[in-house]
Amino acid sequence: MNESLIIYLCYMQLLEIAQVPDEHVNEFKSIEKFKIFNTNNLWVNLKAIKRLVDAEALKMEIIPNPKEVDGVKVLQLETAAGAAIRFFEKAIGINVPRSRFLPVKATSDLLLVQSDLYTLVDGYVIRNPARVKPSNPSIELGPEFKKVANFLARFKSIPSIVELDSLKVSGDVSFGSGVVLKGNVTIAAKAGVKLEIPDGAVLENKDINGPEDL
């Protein structure tokens, strides 16, 4: 959860987690207190924007967001486009069901949408009806997969995950083409070991730490 909408009597305001003091983060993440969150899509009337710009009324605040990039602590200065909602009269929020909300914020999310779990039909992302369980698989990828370029380089093709329950991958791991993952799969390459999942491998309820486990 990265952001919430606070609804006041007079206007709505977007609140980013970077704006929340550490002692209130757990409260901020409470779905009991904030039932509307993750506002990722915006529809704006361009004429309304022009009126605000002409009146110099669109005063977006700068949000300091401490981060760590390649081991170096940095301070990212950002503005949140959704925070502009408080400047618009008669702004509304639309509650979208989870079935229509599929954010991609990490490579683990990217693996989901690129897999056979979803397909694109007439511009719509459609869930594979062959998936029996209502929930999506839980996927955790190690830091070796964090950057998109590294993620793509480690897959000849995205594995089939229609029957997958959970996947945890860490270490120097790469996947061949046509790999099928089922049930609960954990792949953890030992330090200094490059672990390659061969083409066409079918892994079901497996705990893999080296080539001998394949």
Side-chain angles (χ1 to χ4, degrees):
M1 183 188 303
N2 294 319
E3 56 200 30
S4 290
L5 274 178
I6 301 176
I7 304 179
Y8 293 98
L9 291 177
C10 55
Y11 63 83
M12 289 185 285
Q13 179 172 342
L14 185 79
L15 181 63
E16 288 275 351
I17 195 169
Q19 298 171 282
V20 180
D22 291 342
E23 62 269 23
H24 293 298
V25 167
N26 287 335
E27 180 185 6
F28 172 77
K29 291 181 177 180
S30 170
I31 60 173
E32 296 300 322
K33 185 163 188 175
F34 298 109
K35 297 183 183 298
I36 308 296
F37 57 89
N38 284 325
T39 51
N40 283 15
N41 297 284
L42 306 172
W43 288 267
V44 185
N45 187 308
L46 296 180
K47 292 181 180 179
I49 291 180
K50 185 177 187 305
R51 285 197 299 269
L52 290 172
V53 172
D54 290 343
E56 297 184 352
L58 197 60
K59 300 184 183 298
M60 302 292 290
E61 61 182 311
I62 301 296
I63 303 171
N65 191 358
K67 292 190 174 183
E68 187 170 310
V69 179
D70 295 330
V72 178
K73 291 184 178 180
V74 299
L75 186 63
Q76 177 175 299
L77 301 179
E78 60 185 46
T79 57
I85 193 172
R86 67 190 181 95
F87 298 107
F88 293 86
E89 295 181 4
K90 300 179 181 179
I92 62 172
I94 300 175
N95 192 0
V96 179
R98 184 68 188 183
S99 60
R100 294 189 58 193
F101 179 62
L102 193 65
V104 177
K105 296 204 170 189
T107 51
S108 55
D109 302 321
L110 184 60
L111 191 154
L112 278 175
V113 298
Q114 287 190 334
S115 74
D116 57 351
L117 193 61
Y118 290 95
T119 187
L120 194 64
V121 178
D122 295 330
Y124 289 89
V125 178
I126 305 298
R127 198 164 186 265
N128 191 334
R131 173 72 176 181
V132 177
K133 295 188 176 180
S135 60
N136 281 340
S138 168
I139 297 178
E140 297 180 28
L141 301 179
E144 297 82 6
F145 293 78
K146 185 175 182 180
K147 294 183 178 179
V148 173
N150 294 340
F151 166 85
L152 295 175
R154 291 182 178 276
F155 291 95
K156 282 187 181 179
S157 68
I158 300 299
S160 169
I161 62 171
V162 172
E163 297 181 57
L164 179 69
D165 293 323
S166 69
L167 172 67
K168 294 183 180 180
V169 184
S170 60
D172 190 359
V173 180
S174 60
F175 292 78
S177 61
V179 174
V180 178
L181 305 176
K182 300 180 180 182
N184 299 294
V185 179
T186 299
I187 306 172
K190 299 174 184 178
V193 175
K194 184 173 183 178
L195 183 54
E196 297 183 3
I197 309 302
D199 295 350
V202 178
L203 307 180
E204 183 172 3
N205 295 320
K206 296 280 286 186
D207 191 347
I208 299 169
N209 298 109
E212 65 279 4
D213 298 321
L214 292 169

